[in-house]
Amino acid sequence: MTASLGTSFAAHAQTPTDSLPRRFNILGEPHLVPRVGVALQKQMAVEVGLIRHRVRYQTLGNSSRGLYAAADIVPGRRLVVGPKVGGSFGANAASADISLVYYTDFKRRQLMLTPAVGVGLIGFANLLYGYNIPLTGRQLTEVGGHRVSLVGNLNFRAPKEYDQLVESRRR
């Protein structure tokens, strides 16, 4: 569903009847929206949280960015939970993410920095490769070093916001 939103939004943002000037750069309002995802590392993880997502509407393509708070949940023999804070950026088909994660199984703890890069749809849906860099102690075996994730920033207000910007330019 997120992929279809990004695709329809990208296509919708290119309609020839728009009354935006030939060159434009408009920063939309920030919206607090859900952030959800799945990640493959040594064990699969689920990510849930909130992101303060903001879209920039531009002549050469749209971009988005936001700061987020979320948690990784790694089910398995031992449940591992990883509250995290981070930032996300997406422009056209490129995306990047960086997060600080505190993984724990309530006996062992691990603080990690995870930079990630990949492809996406203007930051609405991102396929990322990241590497968990341990900052403290020994790495939890359930987490691992390499991470491939699919994350969606569910900003359903952005297409409506774009329509409102176009409409305000017509007046």
Side-chain angles (χ1 to χ4, degrees):
M1 180 166 167
T2 302
S4 66
L5 170 69
T7 304
S8 66
F9 177 60
H12 179 73
Q14 305 297 323
T15 59
T17 59
D18 289 351
S19 62
L20 292 173
R22 291 185 88 163
R23 296 183 81 48
F24 62 93
N25 185 348
I26 303 166
L27 185 61
E29 294 297 317
H31 299 289
L32 190 62
V33 299
R35 176 180 170 89
V36 296
V38 294
L40 298 173
Q41 18 194 46
K42 282 204 174 178
Q43 290 183 243
M44 188 185 92
V46 175
E47 178 180 341
V48 292
L50 294 172
I51 183 169
R52 188 171 182 262
H53 196 243
R54 189 172 215 180
V55 179
R56 180 176 294 277
Y57 308 94
Q58 303 171 92
T59 306
L60 297 176
N62 300 325
S63 63
S64 71
R65 67 178 188 248
L67 299 176
Y68 63 87
D72 280 350
I73 301 163
V74 185
R77 203 179 50 138
R78 290 182 157 211
L79 176 68
V80 176
V81 178
K84 64 186 189 177
V85 294
S88 181
F89 175 79
N92 295 331
S95 60
D97 201 284
I98 188 161
S99 61
L100 187 62
V101 189
Y102 180 77
Y103 287 108
T104 181
D105 65 359
F106 306 102
K107 289 185 180 181
R108 301 171 294 157
R109 294 170 294 286
Q110 178 71 58
L111 183 64
M112 292 193 186
L113 179 67
T114 309
V117 295
V119 296
L121 294 169
I122 316 168
F124 290 89
N126 305 308
L127 178 62
L128 301 162
Y129 167 77
Y131 189 76
N132 292 319
I133 302 168
L135 299 177
T136 60
R138 234 180 64 205
Q139 190 166 332
L140 293 172
T141 57
E142 293 85 357
V143 176
H146 303 276
R147 175 185 177 98
V148 175
S149 57
L150 178 61
V151 180
N153 298 314
L154 306 181
N155 188 350
F156 297 114
R157 297 178 189 163
K160 186 184 290 186
E161 180 178 61
Y162 179 80
D163 288 341
Q164 290 170 345
L165 287 168
V166 170
E167 188 61 35
S168 70
R169 297 283 179 156
R170 288 184 180 152
R171 294 181 194 146

